[in-house]
């Protein structure tokens, strides 16, 4: 009998070296990992869809400027320089005329159409603002989803490579036994079939990963290097479906845009109604200069004329315009109602999926640990002749499926949570304040080699006395009455400073680094608010129904109904101010309009321009 050939160490060392290098590479990648919030902040405003939404917002601002210009008079200047040849009593006469005229025309009444047009423009601008917010949230979610997908596919690839390495070890062992004549060659074919299946699957994963990485480059403009599985810490209320639905209904950017456009269509009905009323125009014409050579027998050198004209519309065009405006408003309202139903359905579905994914996550980790012990034990049993090769192959496949379920569950949690936060318009803020990396341990991925004898060993138990009972004491909270009174007083003082047009006092209520959002800087926001507050004519701000909702020890949300009036413009909105404690003082960190302005009631005509809050 020929001597038994020794095992080929080269075929065993190669997989082990690959596993060791993979473990070192994973640890180094996590250490240099680029966090998801940094990626989002770098590329968010560079996306074409965001730049398009910003351009539409600027266009909506320009429409408001056009509507405001309708309240101002128009001035006209004319100059005539004419050379003519007249004939008087049969004699030719060359005449030269130099004449200058000025005119001033002002529409003093048109049925309130200009006021309604300005209101519609302001609401359309708010809708464009909400559209920009929606696009920003969608792009942030798209980046988050693609980031998580790249990490998921890389982890699946690493786990499958580790599975293939284990199968190659078994294949080498089986080949040795076949050569020694201890088992049939069909056993070696079985292992090769399983290896071919997994190598084909590995090729599919490589193709999917290449596509995901290419999409990541398109989105971010940078290579997908040093990525680590992201996670977002759940906030209070995320698990309560009723609270979550209420929050998303109030803050969903798409829904806010639809409601704003519905209100704008309501204002456009006012524009159409204004066309039923007579238009009253005031005009003044004055001749500035008149020089005619030779001087005619009679001509006007200086003149001034004041004229009031009344135009009464006739025909059915205005009636058709009014009918069109009413139907467009009904269509916009139906679209908003349909969107509300769709959002409610999507929220419920996503929240339940997210809750189930979080609930099953610990069990998936236990499944991986148990599958690892079974696979290692079956490998030892196969060596001892107590298990068949088919049993071992099935156990190794079950281990990879367990690891695959764990990896996909982690990625699914991140994607579902990001989608829910995007619905609420809170994803970008959550990435800044509640992000944390959550890599899966190499032991669970299988990329760190563990001896089968050690992995299959039972977990030791240690007898120990029961842990002492510890009473958990909640942190002290300030008296509710004093906090409520303080914040109610500060909210009313904020409105009083606005009414008094004291911009410096008004600005002091906000945090120094107040972020208005929508891609605007603090300086741009300050310049805009200064112009609007200082330019308003006799503004009055009245607050009703002030309610406080504590979020934490240092954060309280204050909701109220705001009634604004200035000159001819007035509206009513639901608003929320988020107050935070900064150096012991309450400051406004966020300001949100929860509902669009209600259509203003008819007001007497005036020649002055209304002011927007």
């Amino acid at each position: 009998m020929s001597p038994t050939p020794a095992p080929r160490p080269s075929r065993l060392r190669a997989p082990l070296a690959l596993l060791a290098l993979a473990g070192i590479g994973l640890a180094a990648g996590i250490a240099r990992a680029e966090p998801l919030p940094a990626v989002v902040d770098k590329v968010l405003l560079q996306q074409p869809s965001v730049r398009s939404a910003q351009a539409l917002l600027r266009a909506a601002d320009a429409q408001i400027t056009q509507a405001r210009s309708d309240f101002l008079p128009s001035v006209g200047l004319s100059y005539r320089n004419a050379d003519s040849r007249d004939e008087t009593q049969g004699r030719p006469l060359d005449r030269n005329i130099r004449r200058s005229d000025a005119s001033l025309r002002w529409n003093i009444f048109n049925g309130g159409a200009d006021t309604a047009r300005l209101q519609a423009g302001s609401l359309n601008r708010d809708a464009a603002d909400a559209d920009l917010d929606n696009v920003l949230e969608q792009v942030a979610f798209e980046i988050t989803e693609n980031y998580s997908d790249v990490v998921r596919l890389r982890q699946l690839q690493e786990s499958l490579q580790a599975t293939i390495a284990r199968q190659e070890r078994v294949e080498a062992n089986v080949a040795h036994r076949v050569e020694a004549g201890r088992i049939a060659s069909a056993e070696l074919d079985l292992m090769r079939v399983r290896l071919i299946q997994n190598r084909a699957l590995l090729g599919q994963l490589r193709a999917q990963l290449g596509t995901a990485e290419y999409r990541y480059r398109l989105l971010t403009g940078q290579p997908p290097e040093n990525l680590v599985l992201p996670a977002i810490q759940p906030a209070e209320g995320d698990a309560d479906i009723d609270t979550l639905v209420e929050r998303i209904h109030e803050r969903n950017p798409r829904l806010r845009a639809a409601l704003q456009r519905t209100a704008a269509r309501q204002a456009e009905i006012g524009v159409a109604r204004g066309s039923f009323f007579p238009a009253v125009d005031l005009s003044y014409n004055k001749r500035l200069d008149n020089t005619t050579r030779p001087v005619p027998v009679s001509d006007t050198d200086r003149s001034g004329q004041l004229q009031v004209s009344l135009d009464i519309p006739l025909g059915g065009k205005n009636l058709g315009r009014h009918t069109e405006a009413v139907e467009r408003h009904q269509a916009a309202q139906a679209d908003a109602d349909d969107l509300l139903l769709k959002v409610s359905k999507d929220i419920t579905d996503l929240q339940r999926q997210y809750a189930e994914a979080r609930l099953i996550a610990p069990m998936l980790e236990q499944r991986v640990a148990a599958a690892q012990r079974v696979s290692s034990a079956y490998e030892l049993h196969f060596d001892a002749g107590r298990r068949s090769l088919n049993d071992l192959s099935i156990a190794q496949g079950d281990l990879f499926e367990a690891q695959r379920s764990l990896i996909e569950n982690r990625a699914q949690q991140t994607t579902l949570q990001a989608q829910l936060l995007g619905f609420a318009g809170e994803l970008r803020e959550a990435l800044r304040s509640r992000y944390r990396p959550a890599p899966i341990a190499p032991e669970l991925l299988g990329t760190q080699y563990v001896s089968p004898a050690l992995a299959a060993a039972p977990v030791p138990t240690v007898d120990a006395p029961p842990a002492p009972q510890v009473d958990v004491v909640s942190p002290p909270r300030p008296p509710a009455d004093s906090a409520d009174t303080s914040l109610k007083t500060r909210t009313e003082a904020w409105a009083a400073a606005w009414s008094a047009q004291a911009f410096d006092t008004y600005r002091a209520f906000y945090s120094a680094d107040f972020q208005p959002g929508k891609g605007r800087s603090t300086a741009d926001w300050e310049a805009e608010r200064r112009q609007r507050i200082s330019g308003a004519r006799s503004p009055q701000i009245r607050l009703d129904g002030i309610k406080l909702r504590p979020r934490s020890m240092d954060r309280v949300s204050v909701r109220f109904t705001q009634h604004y009036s200035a000159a001819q413009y007035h509206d009513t909105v639901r608003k929320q101010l988020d107050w935070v404690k900064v150096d012991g003082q309450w400051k406004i960190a966020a300001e949100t309009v929860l509902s669009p302005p209600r259509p203003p009631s008819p007001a007497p005509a005036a020649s002055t321009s209304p002011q927007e809050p």
Side-chain angles (χ1 to χ4, degrees), residues 175-432:
H176 168 65
R177 295 188 180 192
V178 169
E179 290 175 2
R182 296 168 56 188
I183 58 177
S185 60
E187 300 289 347
L188 183 59
D189 292 334
L190 172 64
M191 283 307 305
R192 286 172 177 170
V193 167
R194 298 295 169 85
L195 273 170
I196 291 172
Q197 290 176 344
N198 283 337
R199 286 166 181 161
L201 179 58
L202 183 61
Q204 295 176 8
L205 288 177
R206 286 198 190 102
Q208 295 174 16
L209 178 60
T211 301
E213 290 178 340
Y214 179 73
R215 182 166 172 256
Y216 182 90
R217 291 188 183 94
L218 289 179
L219 278 173
T220 64
Q222 54 191 13
E225 297 176 353
N226 304 327
L227 308 187
V228 63
L229 185 66
I232 302 173
Q233 291 280 10
E236 181 182 358
D238 285 355
D240 184 4
I241 182 64
D242 294 330
T243 303
L244 183 64
V245 169
E246 178 187 0
R247 194 168 87 232
I248 291 179
H249 281 177
E250 291 177 351
R251 301 176 64 92
N252 180 262
R254 287 183 60 199
L255 194 54
R256 282 195 290 116
L259 293 174
Q260 296 285 1
R261 287 196 172 89
T262 301
R265 298 296 177 265
Q266 178 69 39
E268 288 172 359
I269 296 177
V271 177
R273 285 175 180 169
S275 62
F276 288 105
F277 293 88
V280 179
D281 294 330
L282 177 67
S283 60
Y284 179 72
N285 301 302
K286 183 175 179 59
R287 176 154 294 173
L288 302 177
D289 181 63
N290 183 31
T291 303
T292 304
R293 292 188 180 89
V295 179
V297 176
S298 174
D299 199 2
T300 303
D301 288 338
R302 300 286 187 273
S303 69
Q305 179 182 2
L306 181 66
Q307 177 181 344
V308 177
S309 60
L310 178 68
D311 294 333
I312 301 176
L314 298 175
K317 180 177 70 174
N318 295 331
L319 182 61
R321 184 180 302 166
H322 179 266
T323 302
E324 178 188 359
V326 171
E327 295 301 329
R328 288 188 180 277
H329 171 257
Q330 292 180 357
Q333 184 64 58
D335 289 341
D337 293 340
D338 180 67
L339 180 59
L340 179 62
L341 292 175
K342 184 178 183 302
V343 167
S344 301
K345 175 181 175 298
D346 291 344
I347 294 169
T348 304
D349 186 33
L350 289 173
Q351 199 276 340
R352 287 176 177 169
Q353 290 185 49
Y354 176 57
E356 290 298 328
R358 290 188 63 192
L359 182 64
I360 201 174
M363 291 182 279
L364 293 178
E365 293 186 7
Q366 296 171 10
R367 177 189 174 188
V368 170
Q372 285 175 332
R373 291 193 295 270
V374 170
S375 176
S376 299
Y378 277 27
E379 190 170 348
L380 293 176
H381 294 169
F382 172 72
D383 290 338
R386 295 167 54 192
R387 289 284 179 182
S388 67
L389 183 60
N390 188 55
D391 292 339
L392 174 58
S393 178
I394 292 174
Q396 290 178 335
D398 289 342
L399 173 58
F400 173 68
E401 289 301 323
Q403 292 167 338
R404 183 174 191 165
S405 298
L406 174 62
I407 293 168
E408 292 181 346
N409 174 267
R410 291 283 188 90
Q412 183 188 31
Q413 285 189 60
T414 300
T415 303
L416 291 172
Q417 188 181 18
Q419 197 167 359
L420 284 170
L421 290 170
F423 266 115
E426 300 172 356
L427 177 57
R428 290 166 294 148
E429 175 61 29
L431 288 175
R432 285 192 290 265

Side-chain angles (χ1 to χ4, degrees), residues 63-81:
Q63 288 180 342
I64 294 177
T65 303
Q66 296 175 42
R68 284 176 175 163
S69 66
D70 292 336
F71 291 89
L72 302 176
S74 59
V75 178
L77 292 174
S78 64
Y79 174 72
R80 181 184 178 191
N81 185 347

Side-chain angles (χ1 to χ4, degrees), residues 144-164:
T144 302
E145 182 183 35
N146 185 239
Y147 187 106
S148 301
D149 200 38
V150 172
V151 176
R152 176 185 69 86
L153 290 170
R154 285 180 177 175
Q155 290 176 334
L156 283 174
Q157 181 175 301
E158 292 168 0
S159 181
L160 183 56
Q161 286 172 339
T163 298
I164 291 174

Side-chain angles (χ1 to χ4, degrees), residues 5-17 169 172:
R8 287 168 286 187
S10 59
R11 298 189 64 182
L12 294 176
R13 291 196 193 100
L16 298 181
R169 289 199 308 271

